[in-house]
Amino acid sequence: MKVFISVDIEGVCGVVNSDSTGHGGKTYDEARKQMTDEVNAAVEGALAAGATEVVINDSHGGMNNILARDIHHQAQVILGTPKPMMMMEGIATDCDAAMFVGYHARMHSHGILSHTISGAVVSTVWVNDVICGEIGINAGLAGHFGIPVVFVTGDKHATEEAKSILGPIQVAAVKEAITRYSAKNMHPTKAVDLIRHQAEAALRQRGDVKPLVFGMPVTMRLEFLNAGMADAANFLPGSVRVDGRTVDYTADNYVTAFQGLRAMITLAGK
Ligand SMILES: [Zn+2]
């Protein structure tokens, strides 16, 4: 059994602001250690439930945060950027289940460091009229390959968002946001223990979880923070301007639609 794990950092226990999310940040070293401990806990849970192969994808920022030396010896880790599938690089039809560790809630939610792909550019993303953050967008990529997302960790807003879009899956809420930049955190070792336990339970129940499959053709609707960003995004051939801040991209394949979404965000961020 092969398990794919995508790991972000904003939803890791103890992370509450940008001091913890980038190289040079005051608490970044501590955060990447906890990120590594949390993903290792998910690996241990997966192995306990019968996984024979685990592929981890570092999914935050420059995608080079996990301490590769400290990763569980039975796992492989994908580092660096850019990658065609970005936060989902490594997902393929030979996987049996996917897990999201350290994820955060979508832009405009009350969760810790809430954003959708780029907090400086993106306001709201709809996939076929469903508002999606990174959890929904990336679960759609897993669904394209027929893979269910069985387990999500992060703050309580992120885990609630996961359940609202994926159904009653196993989650681990390691902190509770007070504001976008403050939270009540579990003890870090308790968070690790919870993730190990819940990951194992999630994988044992994977047969109850359906992949998230969007109808085709699929439309990615992107509302930007301002109209100038939509002007730039609309240079993408095939994109359609909806209103001042909103551009659509439609494709008959989810991966192509996702690439359109990524391309529009890149253009808008220039
Ligand atoms: Zn991130």
Side-chain angles (χ1 to χ4, degrees):
M1 177 174 29
K2 181 176 173 183
V3 175
F4 170 82
I5 309 178
S6 172
V7 194
D8 207 345
I9 205 167
E10 289 89 344
V12 163
C13 187
V15 172
V16 294
N17 61 34
S18 60
D19 287 344
S20 297
T21 59
H23 292 268
K26 277 184 289 191
T27 46
Y28 173 65
D29 287 342
E30 195 176 315
R32 65 196 300 208
K33 175 83 175 72
Q34 180 69 16
M35 180 192 196
T36 306
D37 288 351
E38 291 190 12
V39 71
N40 279 342
V43 172
E44 287 165 14
L47 293 171
T52 51
E53 186 177 356
V54 183
V55 175
I56 299 162
N57 183 39
D58 192 322
S59 301
H60 172 73
M63 303 188 168
N64 194 18
N65 309 278
I66 291 171
L67 300 169
R69 275 184 62 85
D70 295 337
I71 212 74
H72 193 288
H73 69 280
Q74 280 177 262
Q76 299 175 81
V77 61
I78 298 169
L79 300 169
T81 190
K83 301 176 273 205
M85 300 281 283
M86 297 303 287
M87 300 176 80
M88 295 300 283
E89 188 66 33
I91 192 83
T93 51
D94 65 345
C95 296
D96 296 283
M99 299 180 176
F100 295 164
V101 170
Y103 265 51
H104 53 83
R106 68 177 175 83
M107 186 70 161
H108 305 311
S109 122
H110 288 147
I112 280 289
L113 293 167
S114 56
H115 67 279
T116 302
I117 302 177
S118 170
V121 172
V122 177
S123 175
T124 304
V125 174
W126 293 261
V127 182
N128 285 357
D129 299 327
V130 179
I131 293 180
C132 285
E134 294 171 24
I135 293 168
I137 293 166
N138 291 337
L141 279 169
H144 169 84
F145 293 98
I147 314 303
V149 175
V150 300
F151 181 53
V152 177
T153 86
D155 77 356
K156 198 152 194 299
H157 286 279
T159 59
E160 291 298 323
E161 182 177 317
K163 286 195 275 191
S164 77
I165 200 156
L166 300 173
I169 62 164
Q170 292 285 348
V171 298
V174 299
K175 57 191 174 186
E176 202 165 330
I178 297 165
T179 67
R180 196 180 184 212
Y181 307 107
S182 64
K184 183 167 73 177
N185 292 271
M186 266 187 164
H187 190 280
T189 60
K190 281 211 172 131
V192 166
D193 290 344
L194 177 68
I195 290 170
R196 184 187 302 109
H197 181 268
Q198 295 298 89
E200 179 179 352
L203 202 52
R204 290 194 189 283
Q205 294 163 20
R206 70 187 183 284
D208 299 339
V209 184
K210 288 193 173 62
L212 179 64
V213 180
F214 288 97
M216 295 295 137
V218 60
T219 296
M220 298 280 183
R221 171 162 291 183
L222 235 168
E223 181 188 66
F224 293 95
L225 292 177
N226 67 50
M229 293 170 177
D231 293 338
N234 202 193
F235 279 115
L236 180 69
S239 64
V240 176
R241 190 69 168 262
V242 176
D243 63 28
R245 290 194 291 141
T246 310
V247 186
D248 276 359
Y249 187 84
T250 301
D252 56 10
N253 173 300
Y254 193 90
V255 173
T256 306
F258 171 75
Q259 289 167 339
L261 177 85
R262 290 293 325 186
M264 290 197 294
I265 292 170
T266 302
L267 286 166
K270 295 290 179 197

